[in-house]
Amino acid sequence: MDSQSDEILIIRYSKGDFKSFDTLYNRYSVYIYNYLLKKLNKNPAVNDICQAVWEKVIEKADEFRLKIESDAAPFRFKPYFFNSWFRTRKE
């Protein structure tokens, strides 16, 4: 499952395949954590922000699936994480 695209994984996760979420998490968690750590100058809030980003992914999985299946726009998983982080900062 690890070689599957992000799009396939999010579709499978939105349909109840929790192992697909685990694969996405394992694929991106360290990368996102390190990115935020760097951007926030080692601010202790990094853990909370990372958690908020993953909560958004869980919350919005069905929206991702609909966008992917309708071909409305190319799905880009990495940018979503960073956009979520910026929205989290504003809330």
Side-chain angles (χ1 to χ4, degrees):
M1 187 177 297
D2 203 45
S3 64
Q4 292 183 339
S5 71
D6 297 342
E7 291 89 349
I8 296 297
L9 291 170
I10 200 71
I11 288 169
R12 292 180 71 176
Y13 170 65
S14 73
K15 293 179 178 180
D17 180 359
F18 297 109
K19 288 184 180 182
S20 293
F21 177 82
D22 292 343
T23 301
L24 287 168
Y25 182 83
N26 291 332
R27 186 177 289 174
Y28 291 108
S29 61
V30 172
Y31 177 79
I32 291 167
Y33 180 83
N34 288 333
Y35 175 84
L36 293 174
L37 196 62
K38 181 179 174 185
K39 286 289 185 189
L40 296 174
N41 297 319
K42 299 183 182 179
N43 185 317
V46 168
N47 288 328
D48 293 335
I49 294 168
C50 283
Q51 181 175 344
V53 168
W54 285 107
E55 287 171 358
K56 281 280 191 201
V57 170
I58 291 167
E59 176 185 324
K60 302 285 185 178
D62 283 333
E63 289 179 35
F64 288 152
R65 182 179 53 81
L66 292 174
K67 284 181 185 178
I68 293 166
E69 290 176 347
S70 71
D71 288 331
F75 179 72
R76 296 172 305 175
F77 202 65
K78 290 178 189 177
Y80 178 78
F81 282 119
F82 305 121
N83 291 336
S84 293
W85 171 64
F86 286 116
R87 282 191 298 272
T88 302
R89 287 182 54 188
K90 293 177 183 177
E91 293 174 359

